[in-house]
Amino acid sequence: DHVPVTPEYVIGPGDELLIRAWGQVEINGRAVVDRNGTIYLPKVGTLTVAGQRYDHLHDYLQTAIGSMFKNFELSVTMGQLRSIQVFVVGQVRRPGVYTVSSLSTLVNALFASGGPAKRGSMRRIQLQRQGKPITTFDLYALLVKGDKSRDVALLPGDVIYVPPVARLAALAGSVNVPGIFELQEHDTLADVIAFAGGLTVAAAAEHATLERIGDHHIRRVEEVSLTGDGLKRELQSGDLVRFLHISSKFENAVTLRGNVAIPGRYAWRAGMRVHDLIPSRDALITEEYWKRQSRLALHPGEESFKTIEEQRTERTQQMQQPGLMGGQPEQLGQPGQPAQSGQSARRSANGDAQRDRAEEIKNEVKRSAAEINWEYALP
């Protein structure tokens, strides 16, 4: 509603004009074009403005008012614009009569109707006016290239007709946008590849396979070059072009994997030896080893030891609970042996927990040291 009026806009019934004049004649008002295409101005009379272009309207009114008054200035702008009715028919999602702004174009009305249906053509959309074709719009030009040059403004009673889709070809394999595309006359393989966004990085750029239906009774497979004349080859309805991808093989690579510090793929060169991939013992120390070393270096009370300590405390508390294993609060000894006091049992449990913890740390250090063949001497 607030789009500026273009210079080629044609005034018609229902349009509102904002007219201001000062000097010998004072005019300040709004005039709506009636069904006869005229407006009425006080002190001037009735003027016919329907059919005038917007860029010619100022000069036209200047001349008409100047025939009766001299020495005045005039300003003419557009107010509320009229609405128009157009027909959208054929293979569209919601065919019917649409009321749109007088500034609307073919694309605006087409979007309002939901666009072509699944079996509707996107490349041969026709605009008819009073039974005569005005333009044929290719929606691919807008969607793929951003070209809206063949879009035209609508007039009341225009008919937008979307015919059924006719010729189709499909692209599959290593293209950026595989799919089914509509063909026009003389569309080449290069044109359709452009619709699909081009080949992927991993596509084999030498050739592709073309599956074609011949004479409605036989299928053939051909090899098409993707250079020179192959890209200029015209596609036919029903063609299926498959684009291959390059091999996953690496020409100059060796792979290092297993219990190593940095597994991966490395470039091969003439005279390369195992020592070039594994220059020192550090190359055989895995990342998990250093994680364990860092965990052993933590102080008690930090998270790694905190979990172990919590488990020790929890087991100690369970042993101190009354009635554990059928015993009494002060009877934690083994059957057939003198019962220990509760305090003696707690001291024994705490001592066992400390010895278990020290033994576990000692074993962990031994395992870690053995992985890199360290010399160690533990008491």
Side-chain angles (χ1 to χ4, degrees):
D1 290 341
H2 301 288
V3 175
V5 178
T6 58
E8 63 272 10
Y9 180 78
V10 179
I11 308 300
D15 285 333
E16 182 184 50
L17 305 181
L18 305 180
I19 303 174
R20 297 179 178 87
W22 58 95
Q24 188 177 0
V25 59
E26 295 287 340
I27 301 175
N28 185 10
R30 300 171 179 264
V32 179
V33 183
D34 60 19
R35 291 176 180 268
N36 297 324
T38 63
I39 60 173
Y40 174 77
L41 296 179
K43 302 180 183 180
V44 177
T46 301
L47 299 176
T48 301
V49 295
Q52 294 287 336
R53 285 170 49 118
Y54 177 62
D55 55 350
H56 298 162
L57 183 61
H58 181 276
D59 294 340
Y60 172 77
L61 293 179
Q62 182 84 28
T63 302
I65 299 174
S67 62
M68 291 178 285
F69 299 96
K70 306 295 181 183
N71 301 324
F72 68 93
E73 298 292 335
L74 181 67
S75 172
V76 182
T77 57
M78 298 296 300
Q80 187 70 34
L81 301 181
R82 70 184 186 275
S83 298
I84 61 175
Q85 285 188 335
V86 295
F87 299 84
V88 185
V89 296
Q91 299 295 322
V92 292
R93 294 183 183 274
R94 297 186 297 272
V97 181
Y98 286 85
T99 301
V100 295
S101 167
S102 56
L103 291 177
S104 298
T105 63
L106 182 152
V107 171
N108 300 136
L110 189 64
F111 285 175
S113 67
K118 180 182 294 186
R119 303 305 303 173
S121 173
M122 298 185 69
R123 310 201 63 185
R124 297 180 294 115
I125 301 170
Q126 303 172 13
L127 174 63
Q128 301 178 7
R129 184 173 295 161
Q130 297 178 354
K132 298 179 181 180
I134 301 300
T135 186
T136 299
F137 188 75
D138 183 3
L139 201 56
Y140 274 27
L142 175 62
L143 299 179
V144 178
K145 303 177 183 178
D147 182 10
K148 197 170 174 280
S149 59
R150 296 185 66 87
D151 190 21
V152 297
L154 298 176
L155 294 180
D158 282 352
V159 177
I160 299 173
Y161 172 66
V162 179
V165 67
R167 306 170 68 239
L168 296 173
L171 269 61
S174 294
V175 288
N176 288 317
V177 188
I180 301 174
F181 300 91
E182 185 177 355
L183 301 177
Q184 284 186 333
E185 293 293 334
H186 310 300
D187 273 347
T188 64
L189 178 59
D191 296 329
V192 184
I193 291 177
F195 296 154
L199 304 181
T200 63
V201 176
E206 293 82 11
H207 59 85
T209 59
L210 171 63
E211 301 178 9
R212 174 167 290 179
I213 300 175
D215 300 328
H216 295 278
H217 74 279
I218 190 172
R219 293 179 182 269
R220 298 194 304 269
V221 179
E222 307 174 24
E223 187 173 287
V224 182
S225 173
L226 297 180
T227 58
D229 295 337
L231 292 175
K232 297 178 182 178
R233 183 169 182 175
E234 295 184 7
L235 295 183
Q236 299 179 5
S237 182
D239 284 352
L240 172 59
V241 185
R242 297 184 183 274
F243 296 88
L244 309 177
H245 58 82
I246 61 177
S247 172
S248 300
K249 174 185 175 182
F250 284 86
E251 292 293 333
N252 63 334
V254 293
T255 303
L256 178 65
R257 59 189 178 190
N259 293 320
V260 292
I262 308 177
R265 190 176 292 111
Y266 296 86
W268 175 87
R269 63 181 183 274
M272 189 175 186
R273 306 179 68 85
V274 175
H275 181 269
D276 297 327
L277 289 180
I278 309 175
S280 64
R281 290 185 176 184
D282 289 341
L284 297 176
I285 301 176
T286 63
E287 184 179 357
E288 185 62 27
Y289 166 77
W290 295 116
K291 289 182 179 179
R292 289 199 301 269
Q293 287 298 103
S294 299
R295 192 162 56 242
L296 288 172
L298 294 176
H299 296 290
E302 296 189 24
E303 187 168 355
S304 296
F305 273 113
K306 185 176 180 181
T307 302
I308 300 175
E309 188 67 26
E310 288 177 351
Q311 294 175 356
R312 304 272 191 237
T313 304
E314 190 173 314
R315 286 198 296 268
T316 302
Q317 291 176 351
Q318 290 177 354
M319 294 177 63
Q320 295 174 357
Q321 290 178 1
L324 183 63
M325 299 180 61
Q328 298 300 322
E330 299 297 328
Q331 297 178 351
L332 299 178
Q334 297 295 330
Q337 296 181 357
Q340 297 179 340
S341 66
Q343 185 176 2
S344 300
R346 285 194 294 273
R347 283 199 300 268
S348 177
N350 289 337
D352 292 341
Q354 292 177 0
R355 284 192 294 272
D356 291 344
R357 175 183 168 193
E359 188 66 26
E360 183 176 340
I361 295 176
K362 180 178 178 180
N363 292 336
E364 182 68 22
V365 172
K366 286 182 179 181
R367 286 194 299 269
S368 301
E371 290 186 2
I372 57 174
N373 199 20
W374 280 353
E375 293 292 337
Y376 61 93
L378 295 176

